[in-house]
Amino acid sequence: MRKNKRTVIRNEFLTPKVAQETRFALVADLHDGPFEDLLPELYASDAVLICGDLVDRHRDGYNEALAFLREVTGKVPTFYAIGNHERRLPSREAYMKEAMRTDAIFLDDRCETFRGMKLGGLSSKAGGQADTAFLDRFAAEDGYRLLLCHHPEIWDRYVQDKDIDLTLCGHAHGGQIQIAGHGLFAPGQGLFPHYTGGLYGDGRMLLSRGLTNNTVAPRINTPCELHIVTVKPDVL
């Protein structure tokens, strides 16, 4: 696989709901690609958030994905939400068995507490569906609620009206091909997608353009990116 040049984008979110600053590294759409250049930023973070598609269902094997988990999870708390490539991976059972032997914390329509915050993962479902019961339970949790949701296209239907502080997404690959600053295509959105990368919903949804290509479509004028997300106390 050709190694993609990656940029690092830093985002800060202020909230009175936290007492200490926490730095997260958002890993979206690695697609079984190389990761060694990411390690310094990951190791400097308080936790790693995997927003789905660590694997590539169009490729044989998942060696890089497992190597990533084995390398990172023993050093940094790592939370892993399920994307469509994990769901549709032909060797899903074998991969998940090995992945669960690492120290990754799987957020499969469930949440965990980290530094007083609630971290939730909304798993990829067929047909663009979502576990609404989980979303209702998660939105009712106390404190700062951060949701990993691989699919930005379901934000309008399922997430934006929930009392969730921040949602982190991937999947769209920046629209895959950028023409005059606009993405050409994204799965789940089709041609000329609305959600391609950056902040939406008054800053409540952050969409990563992803860390590498998959093996099906080209990526043109759409740099790969790692997001560093820092949640900070809002002190007046």
Side-chain angles (χ1 to χ4, degrees):
M1 177 182 289
R2 180 171 59 87
K3 187 173 181 179
N4 298 93
K5 185 177 179 181
R6 288 136 169 174
T7 59
V8 178
I9 299 177
R10 303 183 191 278
N11 314 268
E12 290 189 352
F13 297 89
L14 299 177
T15 174
K17 295 182 180 181
V18 302
Q20 61 180 319
E21 180 176 317
T22 302
R23 167 183 159 137
F24 297 105
L26 174 60
V27 173
D29 302 286
L30 188 62
H31 287 298
D32 203 44
F35 60 86
E36 289 79 4
D37 59 309
L38 305 175
L39 293 178
E41 291 284 356
L42 303 189
Y43 292 157
S45 299
D46 298 303
V48 172
L49 306 178
I50 302 173
C51 192
D53 286 9
L54 197 65
V55 296
D56 188 338
R57 69 184 180 89
H58 302 295
R59 302 180 67 209
D60 292 329
Y62 39 76
N63 290 338
E64 288 295 313
L66 281 183
F68 177 92
L69 291 175
R70 290 165 179 161
E71 172 65 29
V72 174
T73 62
K75 298 179 176 65
V76 186
T78 302
F79 298 86
Y80 190 166
I82 301 301
N84 58 295
H85 278 252
E86 282 87 4
R87 177 171 55 82
R88 300 177 66 185
L89 188 68
S91 51
R92 170 184 167 82
E93 287 190 16
Y95 168 70
M96 293 301 295
K97 183 177 180 180
E98 291 297 320
M100 288 181 177
R101 288 176 175 163
T102 72
D103 291 328
I105 301 165
F106 283 85
L107 301 179
D108 190 1
D109 292 328
R110 56 184 295 271
C111 72
E112 289 278 349
T113 301
F114 181 75
R115 291 193 170 189
M117 291 179 279
K118 298 297 182 180
L119 305 182
L122 185 66
S123 290
S124 176
K125 298 279 193 299
Q129 300 300 306
D131 186 335
T132 55
F134 161 70
L135 282 175
D136 288 339
R137 293 193 305 271
F138 183 63
E141 293 280 352
D142 293 331
Y144 190 85
R145 287 147 296 195
L146 190 159
L147 179 69
L148 301 180
C149 172
H150 184 66
H151 298 267
E153 67 272 17
I154 71 172
W155 161 265
D156 294 347
R157 182 177 178 186
Y158 292 110
V159 182
Q160 69 172 340
D161 292 332
K162 303 292 185 185
D163 190 9
I164 295 171
D165 297 284
L166 179 62
T167 300
L168 305 180
C169 302
H171 190 56
H173 295 197
Q176 206 68 52
I177 298 171
Q178 288 277 323
I179 299 175
H182 298 283
L184 182 62
F185 176 83
Q189 298 183 71
L191 290 172
F192 307 112
H194 175 66
Y195 296 119
T196 57
L199 288 166
Y200 299 91
D202 295 324
R204 293 175 53 233
M205 190 258 272
L206 174 64
L207 172 56
S208 170
R209 293 175 177 86
L211 283 164
T212 193
N213 242 339
N214 60 28
T215 53
V216 175
R219 185 173 179 128
I220 300 173
N221 296 328
T222 309
C224 297
E225 59 191 31
L226 174 71
H227 280 267
I228 301 300
V229 175
T230 304
V231 179
K232 302 175 68 172
D234 189 2
V235 180
L236 297 179

